[in-house]
Amino acid sequence: MNKMLLKRLLYENLETLVHIESQLEALGQENQGMLSPYIQALQDKLSQSKSKLWDYRENLDKLFSEASLESPVINEFIEDLFPALQEMIRYQANALYRLKGAQLLPQTELLIANLNLDKLLPDLPHLVILPTETDNVKQEEHVLGSALLGYLPVQNLEAPVQWFGVLETVAQFFSQQTLQINSLLEHLAIPELKEAIVSPLLSLRLLGPGYYSYYVLNAFQQSDAVALYVVEPLLFQALNRFSLVNKDLVILHQSVEKGRKYINAKEPKAMVKALQNDGLSSELLSVIERVIPDKLAFTEKYGMRAQLLEERLSQHVMVSAVPMMSSPAQLRHDLEDPDLGGAIYGVLSQLQESAASPVEVLNAGWLYKLDQSLNWLQDLINEGPEAGWEHFKRTVLDMDTLLLKSIEISEVHRVLIHEESEQLVPA
Amino acid sequence: MILNESQILERLLDPDPERRIIITPLIRPEEQFGPTSVDLRLGTDFQVLTRSNITHLDVVKSPEQLSQDMHKCITSVKVNPTQPFVLHPGEFALASTLEYIRVPLDLAARLEGRSTWGRLGLQIHATAGFVDPGFSGALTFELSNVSTVPIQLYPGVRISQICFFQSVETRLPYDKKRFTKYSGKMSTAASAFFRDPEYARIREAQEALTYQY
């Protein structure tokens, strides 16, 4: 497994610990009564887990200082550190679930509402998103009477970049209803292959490159061989076809190719072979493009808007709106005209910004995270357990705050402007 | 010198990020710009004081205890874009701008009300309308209704305006200033008066007196 992937997996685990710690702090402030000793005990347990992380200090340093890692070092990460962190996350998630119950943020509902799923599936049952204590939502019930259930792990309730999994149920439902997909895949030798590949492809089409990053890193956390050997190559092919690839995504894809053999699960060779039917994958992508038309999909133009938002995120500026001006230099030139008079309204109108959709905001968050998170991790290792952790935690939570606030404010913007779902394209 | 609309525009378009004013989202700039100001909108989150949980704020308690006391007497209210926040006569509430603002180091700014709302009895700040060079984040409103009828406030309405003043570039920008309490806040922030260093000195002096007598 390469160093970059190890770092990304470490970052994902630590980011989740930040979210758990932050939720426990908030609960501690709210609950000054009977529950507070329990919350305190959970916080102590989390602190022990964080201090245990520093027992690996030597290897953490090697992760950043050495050109390549020896096998024993890699094994220590994969067989010792990551399972310990994940066990702690599971334990704390279970406790948080008991303490918090069902408390979705309103921004999660805004994400779903702005995807216009009703236009895609007019008879879509009522979608209900529920918090869950497990990070493997595949284990949960997906249909209850007339409700379609989506799940969000409790530790991710306030972590917007981790919300990309909430549509998996909808995508599954959609794939079952779509004749074009069913007829294309009905002859597959392995029936469960359809279930494995269609839902992620539909999710990617709706949610963009952020979904790819989310999916791949989660697949590693769960040692999901089908996801890494069968689905990931298809998703990356789809990213290319939809013109949504950038440098960080290519590097992530290459890391997957090199790193998947290290997971604790075997390559599903029969499934990989079943998909190697000439032209099947490109035909499948073509069907996905037809069943989710461009106006409802996350297409290249939204990818460009997400990149503009990422630039703002890198300056710690709110990203509720996308700048639309074609040429700031030309506008500055226009302003120099002493006889501009009432024509200044022309200049002003060009400053108007377009409301960002929640999915654009979250994609900008992923692009920024892919670009920056390994630097944040390196700062944490360099600065040490106390100052480093506080700095790391502040950085992660500040980004979340910026994304959540942006989603909230963009909704006000949409109401005030009556903007149609068909967004303007930046010049 | 107060900046006129063209000068504000030049600063919004400035290629140098250090000199650029940031105001986002700019939803309808042609409606928001005046001769020397830009209208700002009301955000979505409010904080109101509730007196039933606490008798008073004892300023010589430790900052941690005071923070908990503040938590007890402040209720956060979030409204969605089509839901009003109702400010009753005589009531006071904290709110914030919808916009994220960044003021460059060579400008200062002032937040003012709009006469449209002043005529209805809405005051948008009690005393703190000044914005330091280097500020970034959402600006806080100290809302009060001095009329006799309740006022319905919807997120996104233009209740205020900001104007900018030229200054010699400061070496003490707001976000670098020691004891800054509200830098970079994206939402309505309650007072953190107890973090002012004077209170630490008063607490120390009181403890010394207790020991002496």
Side-chain angles (χ1 to χ4, degrees):
Chain A
M1 185 174 284
N2 68 5
K3 288 201 315 171
M4 202 280 277
L5 194 55
L6 283 177
K7 286 191 242 178
R8 291 231 179 270
L9 294 176
L10 179 60
Y11 175 84
E12 289 300 305
N13 280 295
L14 298 183
E15 187 190 86
T16 307
L17 284 188
V18 165
H19 290 125
I20 288 171
E21 189 172 283
S22 162
Q23 288 190 46
L24 284 175
E25 280 168 5
L27 284 166
Q29 257 195 334
E30 285 164 23
N31 292 285
Q32 301 291 328
M34 200 172 171
L35 281 173
S36 59
Y38 178 54
I39 294 168
Q40 184 59 53
L42 290 171
Q43 286 174 319
D44 292 344
K45 198 171 166 69
L46 192 64
S47 298
Q48 285 165 14
S49 177
K50 275 171 15 196
S51 47
K52 201 169 174 221
L53 176 73
W54 297 100
D55 296 344
Y56 298 87
R57 183 69 184 252
E58 200 179 318
N59 286 343
L60 291 173
D61 284 336
K62 282 182 185 167
L63 201 53
F64 287 94
S65 60
E66 294 187 9
S68 61
L69 293 176
E70 298 156 5
S71 293
V73 176
I74 296 174
N75 288 343
E76 192 176 278
F77 277 102
I78 295 175
E79 290 169 13
D80 199 3
L81 178 59
F82 290 155
L85 284 171
Q86 280 167 26
E87 193 186 319
M88 171 55 61
I89 288 167
R90 269 192 288 276
Y91 182 87
Q92 296 276 354
N94 188 285
L96 274 178
Y97 186 75
R98 269 183 253 151
L99 283 164
K100 278 182 82 103
Q103 288 180 21
L104 281 184
L105 291 181
Q107 287 91 337
T108 319
E109 291 172 31
L110 289 176
L111 168 68
I112 304 293
N114 280 285
L115 286 168
N116 297 314
L117 295 171
D118 52 334
K119 288 185 186 160
L120 186 67
L121 274 173
D123 52 354
L124 179 74
H126 195 75
L127 176 63
V128 181
I129 306 293
L130 297 172
T132 170
E133 59 193 307
T134 170
D135 54 359
N136 188 356
V137 297
K138 286 174 192 158
Q139 295 168 356
E140 301 274 2
E141 185 178 39
H142 284 177
V143 179
L144 181 67
S146 60
L148 196 56
L149 306 179
Y151 293 96
L152 190 55
V154 67
Q155 67 271 27
N156 294 338
L157 286 178
E158 292 166 19
V161 288
Q162 301 295 347
W163 291 352
F164 281 90
V166 296
L167 279 196
E168 278 174 6
T169 349
V170 177
Q172 264 179 22
F173 178 83
F174 185 48
S175 69
Q176 286 156 8
Q177 305 290 310
T178 312
L179 292 175
Q180 286 165 292
I181 295 173
N182 287 333
S183 62
L184 178 69
L185 299 179
E186 67 187 351
H187 304 302
L188 277 179
I190 305 169
E192 57 269 32
L193 187 57
K194 181 193 153 199
E195 198 179 315
I197 58 178
V198 175
S199 167
L201 281 170
L202 290 169
S203 291
L204 181 81
R205 177 80 172 146
L206 285 167
L207 299 174
Y211 177 78
Y212 171 81
S213 318
Y214 162 85
Y215 182 87
V216 163
L217 292 171
N218 267 280
F220 267 106
Q221 307 273 27
Q222 293 170 18
S223 295
D224 186 339
V226 173
L228 293 171
Y229 282 96
V230 182
V231 184
E232 189 279 336
L234 262 179
L235 288 182
F236 191 71
Q237 192 182 340
L239 277 183
N240 269 302
R241 186 181 175 109
F242 305 152
S243 304
L244 293 170
V245 178
N246 73 5
K247 174 182 66 84
D248 288 320
L249 293 165
V250 172
I251 295 172
L252 183 57
H253 167 65
Q254 289 167 342
S255 308
V256 175
E257 287 188 320
K258 287 178 197 157
R260 61 191 169 199
K261 62 176 177 278
Y262 289 93
I263 63 166
N264 192 18
K266 284 187 178 164
E267 178 184 356
K269 287 184 178 162
M271 277 192 168
V272 174
K273 198 174 170 199
L275 256 189
Q276 282 168 346
N277 175 349
D278 280 347
L280 178 64
S281 55
S282 60
E283 203 174 335
L284 178 58
L285 294 182
S286 158
V287 170
I288 298 284
E289 277 177 315
R290 283 201 297 277
V291 296
I292 302 181
D294 275 2
K295 66 178 181 180
L296 294 175
F298 191 93
T299 54
E300 186 182 5
K301 68 181 176 184
Y302 300 117
M304 286 163 57
R305 287 166 58 96
Q307 277 176 23
L308 288 172
L309 296 179
E310 186 208 352
E311 280 175 38
R312 284 192 163 182
L313 271 183
S314 68
Q315 298 158 28
H316 308 287
V317 174
M318 187 166 75
V319 291
S320 67
V322 185
M324 301 298 298
M325 70 187 99
S326 53
S327 165
Q330 180 60 45
L331 290 181
R332 281 198 305 278
H333 178 75
D334 292 348
L335 279 174
E336 285 166 15
D337 179 0
D339 301 321
L340 189 62
I344 196 164
Y345 280 105
V347 178
L348 286 173
S349 66
Q350 291 197 52
L351 286 178
Q352 183 169 326
E353 296 179 320
S354 156
S357 67
V359 73
E360 286 171 340
V361 171
L362 296 189
N363 271 283
W366 261 106
L367 294 176
Y368 181 53
K369 182 172 142 170
L370 284 178
D371 187 49
Q372 285 299 315
S373 56
L374 302 191
N375 296 334
W376 302 339
L377 188 61
Q378 180 154 23
D379 289 345
L380 166 65
I381 309 291
N382 293 344
E383 291 169 21
E386 283 172 17
W389 180 258
E390 280 312 306
H391 183 195
F392 179 78
K393 185 173 153 190
R394 197 70 273 142
T395 307
V396 170
L397 295 178
D398 281 353
M399 185 179 79
D400 289 343
T401 305
L402 212 50
L403 297 176
L404 290 171
K405 193 70 190 170
S406 301
I407 293 173
E408 184 184 309
I409 298 300
S410 72
E411 186 65 10
V412 180
H413 190 156
R414 266 184 293 281
V415 167
L416 291 176
I417 211 95
H418 298 297
E419 203 165 42
E420 295 298 317
S421 60
E422 180 63 28
Q423 303 269 11
L424 300 165
V425 187
Chain B
M1 179 191 76
I2 190 166
L3 268 56
N4 72 8
E5 81 294 319
S6 295
Q7 290 167 315
I8 298 172
L9 267 169
E10 279 170 18
R11 286 306 193 97
L12 285 166
L13 296 166
D14 203 302
D16 178 358
E18 299 293 317
R19 285 176 49 82
R20 193 182 306 147
I21 295 173
I22 295 177
I23 302 175
T24 185
L26 272 171
I27 298 178
R28 293 262 188 218
E30 64 273 36
E31 291 172 4
Q32 289 174 252
F33 266 71
T36 54
S37 65
V38 183
D39 291 348
L40 297 181
R41 300 172 191 273
L42 180 64
T44 50
D45 55 316
F46 300 81
Q47 293 194 340
V48 289
L49 292 170
T50 43
R51 296 182 291 182
S52 50
N53 288 336
I54 193 159
T55 56
H56 69 296
L57 289 168
D58 182 353
V59 294
V60 290
K61 280 186 179 176
S62 72
E64 291 70 30
Q65 286 173 316
L66 266 168
S67 174
Q68 283 178 9
D69 285 353
M70 288 289 285
H71 195 77
K72 282 184 199 163
C73 69
I74 287 174
T75 305
S76 295
V77 179
K78 209 170 256 274
V79 294
N80 69 42
T82 53
Q83 180 190 358
F85 174 84
V86 184
L87 192 66
H88 285 271
E91 261 191 353
F92 173 80
L94 292 177
S96 55
T97 55
L98 185 83
E99 292 86 355
Y100 172 96
I101 311 287
R102 186 175 290 171
V103 181
L105 298 186
D106 64 336
L107 297 180
R110 265 199 80 80
L111 188 66
E112 297 291 354
R114 290 181 68 220
S115 74
T116 299
W117 286 95
R119 289 161 214 232
L120 291 171
L122 179 69
Q123 293 185 346
I124 62 123
H125 69 77
T127 178
F130 188 75
V131 188
D132 272 323
F135 173 87
S136 62
L139 291 165
T140 298
F141 294 127
E142 298 130 8
L143 300 176
S144 51
N145 179 354
V146 295
S147 84
T148 52
V149 285
I151 301 175
Q152 282 193 328
L153 294 167
Y154 285 86
V157 293
R158 290 174 290 136
I159 62 167
S160 69
Q161 53 189 325
I162 191 169
C163 52
F164 296 91
F165 299 87
Q166 185 70 55
S167 144
V168 176
E169 186 167 322
T170 179
R171 282 179 282 180
L172 203 61
Y174 185 77
D175 59 338
K176 303 281 189 308
K177 207 170 76 169
R178 282 187 197 175
F179 312 117
T180 292
K181 300 189 288 287
Y182 311 109
S183 177
K185 296 276 185 202
M186 301 293 299
S187 301
T188 303
S191 172
F193 67 94
F194 47 86
R195 301 211 184 278
D196 277 344
E198 293 89 327
Y199 290 111
R201 291 176 207 133
I202 292 169
R203 277 190 287 275
E204 280 168 20
Q206 282 197 338
E207 279 167 23
L209 277 175
T210 312
Y211 181 74
Q212 198 175 339
Y213 298 106

